[in-house]
Amino acid sequence: MAGSFRIAGGMEAIVDALAATLPADRLHLSARVESISRTGGVVLARGVSCQADHVVLAVPPRIAAGLTYDPRLDLDMRTALTAIPTWMAGQAKFVATYDRPFWRDLHLSGDAMSHCGPLMEIHDASGPDGTPAALFGFLGTPAPHRAGRAGEIEQAALDQLARLFGPAARTPIRTALQDWAFQPETATEDDLTPPSTHPDYGLPPRLSGLWEGRLHFAATEVAPEMGGYLEGALAAAEAVSARLQAAIPTL
Ligand SMILES: Cc1cc2nc3c(=O)[nH]c(=O)nc-3n(C[C@H](O)[C@H](O)[C@H](O)COP(=O)(O)OP(=O)(O)OC[C@H]3O[C@@H](n4cnc5c(N)ncnc54)[C@H](O)[C@@H]3O)c2cc1C
């Protein structure tokens, strides 16, 4: 995949590095935001609450639409949020890890496009120098047909990897099937049917300047360029950061 980059340590390395710069008492990990009020009150799951001058929602718009707002968001604002699909929200990945990247011995890259088996696009997902050794594939089976079939899919995926890369693929150390379509923090029912083309993204004017400019949307879907990708998430965050710095000169 020329021109593509991967991050050593995986995506969580970025999150951990960002979190390490924040005061520990400001972090509420694994705490779902449930409601937000115009006066700055934010209520998290299990009843914990915080107070904020500005609220920045860096969650997919359809997920944001499902939060409770006090006062309620107008119908046209909620409609604007639910109209924005999250690119790839309905996708799933299967990963198999091995004691060594055996396919490289056969001069195989680990990359494949396949229509025979559940995985449609497969890549070598090994770490630097092949450690840990891993192959991953995007599932081609539509989300509605994946529900409740994890065991069957995993077995068929290993059979497929063995056909492509040799019998050693059948004996991984570990496998994982991650299905974002059924993660309530990423996808809604509307995302079970993925968009056929990459959506046009950007912050709809209706969602700009809410609550006297103190409620912000900062997920990748509001980025005017590279929306739906990691790059868009960075651009959206930088745009909100600039707005906050203008509003709060001491920031
Ligand atoms: C299978 C797959 C493969 C992808 N591959 C690529 C790729 O190769 N390159 C690329 O550039 N992009 C890729 N993407 C897209 C990329 O992951 C997203 O663009 C990016 O993660 C968006 O970042 P974000 O910060 O806007 O939102 P997210 O990464 O979705 O982060 C939102 C966070 O908010 C949390 N959250 C949700 N609801 C709540 C709540 N109520 N309270 C508290 N927290 C909440 C979620 O748990 C999540 O941690 C892929 C996506 C998927 C699903």
Side-chain angles (χ1 to χ4, degrees), residues 41-231:
V42 178
V43 177
L44 309 172
R46 298 190 301 275
V48 179
S49 61
C50 331
Q51 189 65 30
D53 293 331
H54 288 255
V55 174
V56 180
L57 286 175
V59 301
R62 285 175 173 169
I63 304 297
L67 301 178
T68 300
Y69 297 83
D70 176 20
R72 272 169 68 93
L73 291 189
D74 293 347
L75 180 61
D76 60 336
M77 291 178 196
R78 280 184 282 130
T79 304
L81 284 169
T82 51
I84 306 174
T86 289
W87 181 241
M88 301 198 74
Q91 301 294 330
K93 279 183 183 178
F94 171 78
V95 187
T97 54
Y98 299 94
D99 55 3
R100 49 188 301 281
F102 59 87
W103 55 95
R104 296 183 187 180
D105 299 342
L106 306 169
H107 306 291
L108 295 175
S109 64
D111 284 1
M113 304 298 268
S114 174
H115 294 282
C116 188
L119 309 177
M120 61 172 182
E121 181 184 328
I122 298 158
H123 297 286
D124 184 329
S126 305
D129 304 321
T131 311
L135 291 169
F136 97 84
F138 286 105
L139 268 78
T141 315
H145 299 283
R146 299 196 298 259
R149 296 177 59 199
E152 190 187 331
I153 290 172
E154 294 208 12
Q155 191 50 57
L158 290 178
D159 290 343
Q160 185 178 9
L161 292 178
R163 279 196 301 277
L164 290 163
F165 302 111
R170 260 189 236 284
T171 48
I173 299 169
R174 216 159 61 88
T175 60
L177 180 62
Q178 173 70 30
D179 200 331
W180 284 272
F182 302 106
Q183 292 275 308
E185 287 81 22
T186 299
T188 64
E189 278 213 30
D190 288 342
D191 295 300
L192 294 185
T193 309
S196 52
T197 56
H198 196 88
D200 281 336
Y201 283 126
L203 183 65
R206 195 68 196 85
L207 297 175
S208 165
L210 301 192
W211 292 358
E212 295 83 39
R214 288 182 291 108
L215 177 61
H216 310 263
F217 297 97
T220 186
E221 291 82 4
V222 305
E225 286 179 26
M226 301 303 284
Y229 299 108
L230 295 167
E231 188 66 29

Side-chain angles (χ1 to χ4, degrees), residues 26-50:
R26 297 294 180 90
L27 292 173
H28 299 277
L29 301 178
S30 303
R32 193 183 170 84
V33 171
E34 293 189 331
S35 70
I36 302 157
S37 80
R38 189 175 197 138
T39 51
V42 178
V43 177
L44 309 172
R46 298 190 301 275
V48 179
S49 61
C50 331

